[in-house]
Amino acid sequence: MSSRNPKDLSDEMYYKWSEWDKVMKANNIDYILTCTLRTLDQQKELYAQGRSKPGKIVTWTLNSKHLTGEAFDFCIMNNGKCDWAMDKKEDWETAVEIGKSLGLSQVVDSKGRIKEFAHLQC
Ligand SMILES: [Zn+2]
């Protein structure tokens, strides 16, 4: 398992996450962190999923910012459950907007499409 602990983020990212967290709380948006730091072995394992191993593709790169603690993944909570269906779309969008206002970004492909909605990196 990769880490979900914000303390495993890089110093800069920890600072940005704590600012993000404050604004999230001020907006009454409930969330959990699902990933902060990942080892290269864990990244390789994830990368294999949907490629050389069965399953759905969940990552796009072997060179993830999670390897250096410069990214975090989150999930908006809806009645105590992860809102992967994105029923609380506004909360998801607000979470990303808050991240952007702090200089965080999402990963987009060459056409500007978001690869992973729940991921913010510096
Ligand atoms: Zn991520």
Side-chain angles (χ1 to χ4, degrees):
M1 269 308 272
S2 52
S3 173
R4 298 176 169 199
N5 189 338
K7 295 215 162 86
D8 287 329
L9 293 166
S10 70
D11 290 349
E12 185 197 353
M13 197 54 180
Y14 181 80
Y15 175 75
K16 291 197 171 174
W17 166 78
S18 50
E19 293 298 301
W20 184 81
D21 178 67
K22 273 183 225 161
V23 186
M24 288 287 278
K25 288 194 169 109
N27 280 278
N28 286 315
I29 301 177
D30 194 16
Y31 78 97
I32 58 162
L33 287 176
T34 57
C35 177
T36 53
L37 187 69
R38 217 177 260 156
T39 65
L40 185 56
D41 279 350
Q42 288 162 339
Q43 187 69 27
K44 283 182 180 162
E45 207 38 45
L46 271 185
Y47 191 79
Q49 189 180 322
R51 294 186 175 88
S52 56
K53 286 185 180 172
K56 184 173 167 274
I57 287 184
V58 287
T59 189
W60 315 93
T61 178
L62 277 173
N63 191 22
S64 166
K65 289 219 169 190
H66 287 292
L67 299 176
T68 48
E70 291 173 295
F72 62 80
D73 296 340
F74 60 94
C75 186
I76 301 297
M77 298 300 279
N78 191 359
N79 293 320
K81 286 190 182 152
C82 262
D83 182 33
W84 292 124
M86 293 179 78
D87 292 327
K88 299 187 99 181
K89 199 162 190 286
E90 260 181 47
D91 283 0
W92 283 94
E93 286 169 352
T94 304
V96 171
E97 285 314 308
I98 297 167
K100 286 183 179 166
S101 74
L102 295 165
L104 298 173
S105 59
Q106 291 181 299
V107 182
V108 292
D109 66 14
S110 56
K111 290 184 176 135
R113 289 178 299 215
I114 296 160
K115 291 224 172 217
E116 193 191 343
F117 202 89
H119 168 109
L120 286 167
Q121 65 183 39
C122 47

